[in-house]
Amino acid sequence: MSSVGASPRLVAAAWCALVLASASATWAAPVLQPGQDATLRDALATGGDSLGAGWRIEGFSVEGDRVELRLVGADARAATATIRGASGAAGAVETPLGWAEVPAELPAEAAEALLARLRAAPRPLRWRDDGGPGAPAEASAPALDPARAAAAQAEVSARLAGRLGLGPAAPPPALDPAVNAALDALTRGDAPAARTQLEALVRAALDSPTGELSPGALSVWLAAGGQPGLPPHALAERFPDEPRVAALMSAALRDDAAYDAAAAWVAHGLAAPLDDALLVREARALGLTVADPPAHALPAPPLPPGPPAWPWQLAGLALALALAATALVHRSVEAGLALLAAILAALAAIPPPSARSFPQLPPTLLAPVAAGPCHSGPARREGATLRVHATCPAGPLELVVRPTALAAPAEAANQRATAAH
């Protein structure tokens, strides 16, 4: 995978989006409180995507003072319905989610189906009233601390260098006391005790759509044998900065032959504070060069037993020797060609491991929000898109940065802000 570049415009765009998201608490119009994506998904998923008359719901994005629903018709026509915390445009309809504004181009059948779905929402959205239409906006950028940003970038860079074998190994991370106690039990070989210590904490976070965990808690619990009942993609949507989640995502993507995407997840997980032996295994399976995991790393699960390879290897060797002997003794061209064909077939079936360049991020994206009030892991690259999952005083935030050509309404359902560069 080629190295990731970042221009000053990209970093500036990321900061602009973060500032807008963090400052939403002071906007004049009612704003949506963070962490309610599951409420929106549950309401919109009832009855499937179709609204009738050839129209369907394609997705939604949260834009601070409103929720925008992306609607697509059978003839590829697009429209946007809006939900606000207060009555705005004429004709807005009150629903448990807020005041819905239905686009005029939507057929009556589809409009009624959409409003019926919004009225039947199992849970209301929570809006925060920050003043009436005439209230002044007081949004301002948070104070930045360049020294703190530089220190955070240097810390992540040193950690990555150690795990790539390019520098000394990083010391064990400073974790929450409960997580540290569970990790100690796990590295002593007492996985049941480690799992029990974190069970209630992790279960409560997984059962709540807005639940959060201290860094490393989910990874330790998973490594101790915890069963989340969720696929890796669902865990990655909520806890992308956990190293064990990154390892599970890499394994799932490797199964789908998405090797570059798997390598990006491995690189992201290796930048996390907690060492994970499963990430090292995933890195080497992708042809990445990494150092051996330290003694305090999360242990990797044992590889599933498979059938022994030696019978096939012995049979292949016997066939190759027979063909070679036939070709030499009888000077048989056919036997020589058969031997060559067998060798080529073996190389095609079992290709030798190929080295892959490690996905690199520029220093400014290793700790992209460290200079402000939020904290996060490094930016994660998805094709031409950069994502940052941050924890802020007002709640969780996902920052999505796209090139200008891709900065259409966000595809991710849990988006908080979008920046274009």
Side-chain angles (χ1 to χ4, degrees), residues 173-264:
L175 301 173
D176 182 86
V179 179
N180 205 48
L183 178 60
D184 287 342
L186 181 60
T187 53
R188 290 196 310 267
D190 194 352
R195 187 169 62 252
T196 301
Q197 290 181 46
L198 296 175
E199 184 76 25
L201 184 70
V202 174
R203 282 293 173 198
L206 292 177
D207 292 342
S208 170
T210 59
E212 295 187 47
L213 288 167
S214 58
L218 180 60
S219 291
V220 173
W221 182 76
L222 290 172
Q227 299 297 320
L230 296 171
H233 290 78
L235 290 174
E237 180 181 334
R238 292 186 54 192
F239 305 101
D241 295 335
E242 287 290 332
R244 183 51 59 102
V245 172
L248 296 175
M249 275 298 299
S250 172
L253 290 165
R254 277 199 306 112
D255 288 343
D256 294 335
Y259 301 118
D260 285 348

Side-chain angles (χ1 to χ4, degrees), residues 42-43 46 95-97 114-123:
D42 291 346
T46 305
T95 74
L97 301 179
L114 176 61
L115 290 174
R117 189 172 301 187
L118 300 181
R119 292 190 184 103
R123 301 187 302 276

